Amino acid sequence: MVQTQSLSTLTICGSVQVYSSWRNRVKFVKSSGLISDRCVSCHFLRSPSSSSLRSHWKSLKQRNMMRVEARWPFQGGDQGLDPNSERSESANEDILIFFFQLDLATRVQCALNMEQYDIAQQLREKLTEVEEEAIRLQEAKRGSSSKSEAQDKGISIIRLRADLQNAIDGEDYGLAAKLRDEISKLEAESLAVSAKALAFENAEYSFRLGQKLTHKAFGYRAVVCGMDPVCCESSSWMEAAEVEKLPRGSNQPFYQVLVDVRTHPDLLVAYVPEDNLLASEKPDKERFDHPYISFLFYGADTAGDFIPIQQLREKYNKPRHEVPFDSQDED
């Protein structure tokens, strides 16, 4: 059974003296052994500059894509997929960043309570940087940046149409043809980014945070800890996972799920399409083990599902799920 660990144990060193070195290097300590060596520890906080955070994050993503590409040839190709085909290092990293935000916020408050104001200021600065980077990544993922991108493309289209009219009036038909092609390309790109932004705004999910589910193909039990209205993984990941062969392809909700470590100890976090998940008709109150459970959820409700912490609900803008009252529960 996975032992309950404090967030400080999972993430960073608990010593007060380590705070002074955070401006040079901050990293997660994997002393508990709960985090696999395949998981990327948070070395993206090596530098206090946001630009360094972004550049290192890009290198992490490239490293993850290489992992997927390297793993795929040994899975048998057309012989069929296994649970590792839906392993997602980026989803795991997203959760670790969330852990790190929670831990930093707690440490800031702890330093203030102990009247260690210099330490609190250093931690607050680091927390601000991490939050800004997390927001930027989240906006890019969820389509907020797609809105502004679509608007920019719309402005460019208007300008090109004015240039097109001037070219036609000047009988410069070669330039007019070139401008017409550019307009067509921009219109297609603008439609694509607008569709992505709209998908995130009007997303409808069949499952909710904390809900226990079963994988239709692989049979393992899982708990939802995140969700996207469409697949936000890389093209190489989607190719390896054969997403195009799904009934609804990549244009369906995908879920970050925690996998029961008792049955799949090497598969901490998976990124699973809605087509591959199934909710039990009866409450699932069986034991579920995972090192992240105690950090993401308050505990289990009367139906056996987990209750997400407030910060997790706020991250995905989801209300708390209330279990319907059943008088038979009292019998």
Side-chain angles (χ1 to χ4, degrees):
M1 178 178 179
V2 177
Q3 299 297 321
T4 301
Q5 302 284 332
S6 67
L7 183 58
S8 300
T9 301
L10 178 64
T11 56
I12 51 182
C13 210
S15 173
V16 172
Q17 284 77 7
V18 80
Y19 294 149
S20 60
S21 65
W22 279 17
R23 287 186 177 275
N24 299 321
R25 182 172 182 176
V26 179
K27 64 181 179 179
F28 285 115
V29 173
K30 299 185 287 183
S31 59
S32 64
L34 296 178
I35 301 180
S36 167
D37 289 336
R38 284 187 295 271
C39 301
V40 179
S41 60
C42 288
H43 294 290
F44 62 91
L45 292 173
R46 294 172 186 267
S47 168
S49 65
S50 297
S51 59
S52 297
L53 293 177
R54 285 193 291 270
S55 61
H56 195 71
W57 182 254
K58 290 181 180 179
S59 69
L60 289 178
K61 291 183 68 177
Q62 292 173 352
R63 200 183 312 168
N64 291 334
M65 290 192 299
M66 290 176 64
R67 283 196 185 97
V68 172
E69 293 169 353
R71 185 170 59 245
W72 174 241
F74 301 99
Q75 292 179 350
D78 294 335
Q79 297 178 9
L81 302 177
D82 64 21
N84 286 326
S85 63
E86 293 177 337
R87 179 196 303 276
S88 175
E89 297 290 355
S90 60
N92 192 45
E93 289 160 9
D94 181 66
I95 296 172
L96 292 179
I97 291 176
F98 182 66
F99 287 162
F100 194 67
Q101 288 179 265
L102 295 179
D103 188 77
L104 277 175
T106 301
R107 290 176 179 275
V108 168
Q109 188 59 51
C110 180
L112 290 174
N113 292 342
M114 298 175 64
E115 299 184 355
Q116 296 175 332
Y117 301 115
D118 290 340
I119 292 176
Q121 180 61 29
Q122 293 178 26
L123 294 175
R124 188 179 288 110
E125 291 173 359
K126 182 59 65 177
L127 175 60
T128 299
E129 295 168 13
V130 176
E131 287 178 339
E132 289 176 352
E133 181 68 5
I135 290 173
R136 188 192 68 80
L137 292 171
Q138 200 70 9
E139 286 181 346
K141 178 181 178 182
R142 289 175 173 264
S144 297
S145 61
S146 297
K147 285 185 177 180
S148 58
E149 185 181 353
Q151 293 172 352
D152 292 341
K153 291 184 182 296
I155 294 173
S156 298
I157 290 173
I158 293 175
R159 292 173 179 171
L160 286 174
R161 283 175 176 167
D163 293 340
L164 174 61
Q165 187 59 50
N166 291 333
I168 293 175
D169 293 342
E171 298 184 355
D172 189 346
Y173 300 115
L175 176 59
K178 182 179 179 180
L179 291 171
R180 191 178 295 110
D181 291 340
E182 291 183 18
I183 291 173
S184 298
K185 180 180 178 181
L186 280 176
E187 286 177 338
E189 293 175 353
S190 178
L191 181 62
V193 295
S194 297
K196 180 181 178 181
L198 187 62
F200 275 91
E201 289 180 356
N202 301 325
E204 294 185 2
Y205 300 95
S206 297
F207 310 119
R208 64 183 182 276
L209 292 172
Q211 187 172 7
K212 287 181 181 177
L213 305 170
T214 301
H215 197 290
K216 292 181 180 178
F218 305 134
Y220 62 70
R221 295 164 65 238
V223 173
V224 177
C225 65
M227 54 191 64
D228 299 316
V230 294
C231 184
C232 294
E233 270 286 0
S234 65
S235 57
S236 60
W237 185 94
M238 287 190 279
E239 180 180 356
E242 299 186 354
V243 172
E244 75 282 354
K245 295 183 179 180
L246 295 168
R248 290 186 288 169
S250 62
N251 294 318
Q252 62 174 305
F254 274 67
Y255 297 84
Q256 293 180 8
V257 300
L258 308 180
V259 181
D260 193 335
V261 296
R262 292 181 301 154
T263 57
H264 292 78
D266 294 328
L267 183 61
L268 281 179
V269 181
Y271 195 56
V272 187
E274 197 169 80
D275 284 345
N276 284 350
L277 293 171
L278 179 67
S280 176
E281 296 181 357
K282 298 180 179 180
D284 180 359
K285 298 184 180 181
E286 293 184 17
R287 170 182 164 186
F288 188 96
D289 285 349
H290 196 284
Y292 297 172
I293 287 292
S294 61
F295 309 122
L296 295 174
F297 305 99
Y298 291 124
D301 58 26
T302 56
D305 294 322
F306 289 101
I307 305 170
I309 62 173
Q310 180 180 347
Q311 295 91 330
L312 185 61
R313 297 199 310 269
E314 291 174 349
K315 178 181 179 180
Y316 291 98
N317 193 27
K318 297 297 180 182
R320 176 166 177 166
H321 174 72
E322 299 294 340
V323 180
F325 176 75
D326 187 352
S327 60
Q328 294 181 354
D329 292 340
E330 296 183 351
D331 297 339

